[in-house]
Amino acid sequence: MNGHLKKELLEFETKALDRSGHPLNGKAHKNPRYKSEYFAEYQDNLFVKMSDEHIAQYGSGNGKEFADKRYPAKMKSIFSSSAMTFNLLGNNEICANDGNEYFVPGTYKIEYEKKLLTVKNSDKNQNPAHLDAFLLNGTNAIFCEMKMIEWMRDTPGFLKKAYSETKRSFFNSKESAEANAAFERLRKYLCENMSEYKADADCDPHRFTHYDAWQMYKHILGIYNMSSATTKNEVASLQTNEIKMLPKLKKVRLVNVIFEPPVKIFKNEKARNAYCNCRAIEHGEFDIFKHCVEESGVIEAFKKDCGIEFSVEFLTAAQFMDCFDISDSHKKYLQRYRLDK
């Protein structure tokens, strides 16, 4: 990640926390290496105290959000996407506004680190995909994949070849043949639009530059597997207390929520240019991804096999929060994720 860009983002975020009345200064990590980016306690990085239910959900996730190991716990970072997720959504329920452009209006119950089965493991211990947040309002659902600075900083991952192995698939009936073909086409279309890199022998070598398309592919596959009549029997047999079939759904939005401050706030030319370049690539790659999804037949498979109207969306954090009823004090705090005032 460009050093000038990281420096400016640190300054913006720190000042936004000061203005909201939740300053990093005085509550920062005691280690000088981390004090500019990490709180000493993760609770100080949150707008409200997290409920025991949601602490358990994050604790059972695969991101080790609360673990202090080589680095401080991820949830302590002012750039934490999990902290951003919780700060945007909160503890209990959130209400989507009437007339918002993206989601069915109404009150949504919140679950963090939603687990979805994608492919079978060779042993009994499954390794599900984890969605940052699952919002449910009757038969309407919003699945959220949140990114703060990861899209500017991290390299997208590869897709393991297990995702193309018949023995690992849940598409093992005649009824699932069309869906299987649709997901095969989606993988093919994406590879045709990606560059090749040196990859582990167990992985396909294709990936985008900034957009984590394979992560989103896994989420789409997981949502299908956990809601389809064609995979129901096999998936149901692998349910646990934490991995459960989805309820009957009619409308599903899988949405990327991305921290994207306005370009105009960047004073350093190198930082501004680096940011604009990353953003242009990310947006272009998402457009390609969405087009591939729409052309692959996956959306039709959701309609036919799950009874679901499915789509993928890309929203900035500012666009996302504008879809929901949020108190004035909460809006003031959430300026740290929009930086537009």
Side-chain angles (χ1 to χ4, degrees):
M1 184 177 181
N2 179 281
H4 298 284
L5 178 55
K6 177 71 175 290
K7 182 180 178 181
E8 284 221 61
L9 289 170
L10 272 170
E11 291 175 359
F12 298 149
E13 185 68 7
T14 302
K15 290 177 181 178
L17 283 164
D18 289 344
R19 289 192 296 269
S20 73
H22 294 75
L24 176 65
N25 187 32
K27 296 183 178 180
H29 201 280
K30 303 307 178 185
N31 188 323
R33 293 177 60 191
Y34 305 122
K35 68 178 183 179
S36 65
E37 182 180 334
Y38 289 87
F39 284 92
E41 304 294 336
Y42 79 86
Q43 293 94 334
D44 292 324
N45 198 24
L46 305 178
F47 177 65
V48 295
K49 183 180 178 181
M50 187 181 292
S51 71
D52 290 343
E53 177 186 14
H54 294 324
I55 288 174
Q57 289 166 359
Y58 276 112
S60 68
N62 61 359
K64 300 180 175 61
E65 301 298 340
F66 301 131
D68 289 307
K69 292 194 174 179
R70 184 178 177 186
Y71 299 100
K74 293 180 182 179
M75 191 75 79
K76 295 178 179 179
S77 171
I78 61 175
F79 291 136
S80 165
S81 59
S82 57
M84 182 179 81
T85 304
F86 180 78
N87 283 329
L88 287 173
L89 297 171
N91 268 317
N92 300 313
E93 297 176 333
I94 191 166
C95 185
N97 298 319
D98 289 335
N100 84 82
E101 186 177 348
Y102 297 99
F103 309 124
V104 175
T107 300
Y108 288 78
K109 182 175 173 54
I110 303 162
E111 179 181 347
Y112 296 105
E113 294 294 319
K114 182 67 175 176
K115 299 171 183 63
L116 304 170
L117 294 176
T118 54
V119 293
K120 301 175 195 171
N121 277 3
S122 54
D123 57 25
K124 292 183 179 180
N125 297 315
Q126 299 304 305
N127 185 25
H130 292 65
L131 262 296
D132 290 328
F134 170 57
L135 311 183
L136 181 64
N137 168 23
T139 57
N140 304 298
I142 306 168
F143 292 86
C144 304
E145 177 58 41
M146 310 285 209
K147 303 289 185 188
M148 196 164 179
I149 65 169
E150 297 95 331
W151 65 276
M152 298 179 253
R153 182 193 64 198
D154 300 342
T155 301
F158 295 106
L159 186 72
K160 287 188 176 296
K161 291 179 180 177
Y163 283 84
S164 60
E165 295 176 359
T166 301
K167 66 180 180 180
R168 304 288 292 275
S169 173
F170 287 103
F171 300 127
N172 290 323
S173 66
K174 292 181 179 179
E175 291 79 11
S176 63
E178 289 183 28
N180 185 36
F183 278 96
E184 284 183 355
R185 282 193 295 272
L186 179 52
R187 294 195 301 273
K188 174 176 178 288
Y189 293 165
L190 289 172
C191 287
E192 289 172 349
N193 285 280
M194 293 172 165
S195 298
E196 282 196 51
Y197 298 84
K198 184 178 180 181
D200 185 284
D202 290 335
C203 297
D204 187 288
H206 298 85
R207 69 180 183 211
F208 282 134
T209 304
H210 286 292
Y211 186 70
D212 202 345
W214 292 128
Q215 182 185 48
M216 292 295 284
Y217 171 86
K218 294 174 191 176
H219 292 337
I220 295 172
L221 179 59
I223 295 168
Y224 176 88
N225 283 343
M226 306 300 283
S227 58
S228 172
T230 71
T231 57
K232 181 177 181 179
N233 290 338
E234 285 203 71
V235 171
S237 69
L238 296 173
Q239 287 187 108
T240 66
N241 289 336
E242 296 181 352
I243 304 172
K244 297 180 180 179
M245 291 288 291
L246 292 168
K248 181 66 177 177
L249 300 172
K250 292 184 178 179
K251 192 166 189 174
V252 167
R253 297 289 176 263
L254 173 59
V255 57
N256 282 116
V257 181
I258 313 295
F259 169 64
E260 281 193 10
V263 174
K264 65 182 181 182
I265 68 173
F266 291 94
K267 307 302 181 187
N268 182 283
E269 183 179 359
K270 290 182 178 178
R272 182 169 61 253
N273 290 342
Y275 175 71
C276 289
N277 182 57
C278 287
R279 192 175 70 161
I281 293 171
E282 170 92 345
H283 285 204
E285 290 175 342
F286 171 76
D287 289 342
I288 292 170
F289 177 78
K290 183 168 184 173
H291 179 74
C292 290
V293 171
E294 292 173 345
E295 293 296 310
S296 66
V298 164
I299 290 175
E300 289 77 10
F302 268 99
K303 190 69 175 177
K304 177 177 177 288
D305 301 333
C306 312
I308 288 174
E309 178 191 327
F310 177 83
S311 71
V312 292
E313 308 291 348
F314 185 105
L315 279 71
T316 66
Q319 289 173 318
F320 182 77
M321 64 181 80
D322 284 345
C323 293
F324 298 94
D325 288 330
I326 297 173
S327 70
D328 289 342
S329 60
H330 196 181
K331 286 179 181 178
K332 181 180 179 181
Y333 180 83
L334 292 178
Q335 269 297 312
R336 64 181 287 195
Y337 300 121
R338 54 191 308 158
L339 303 176
D340 56 357
K341 293 182 182 178

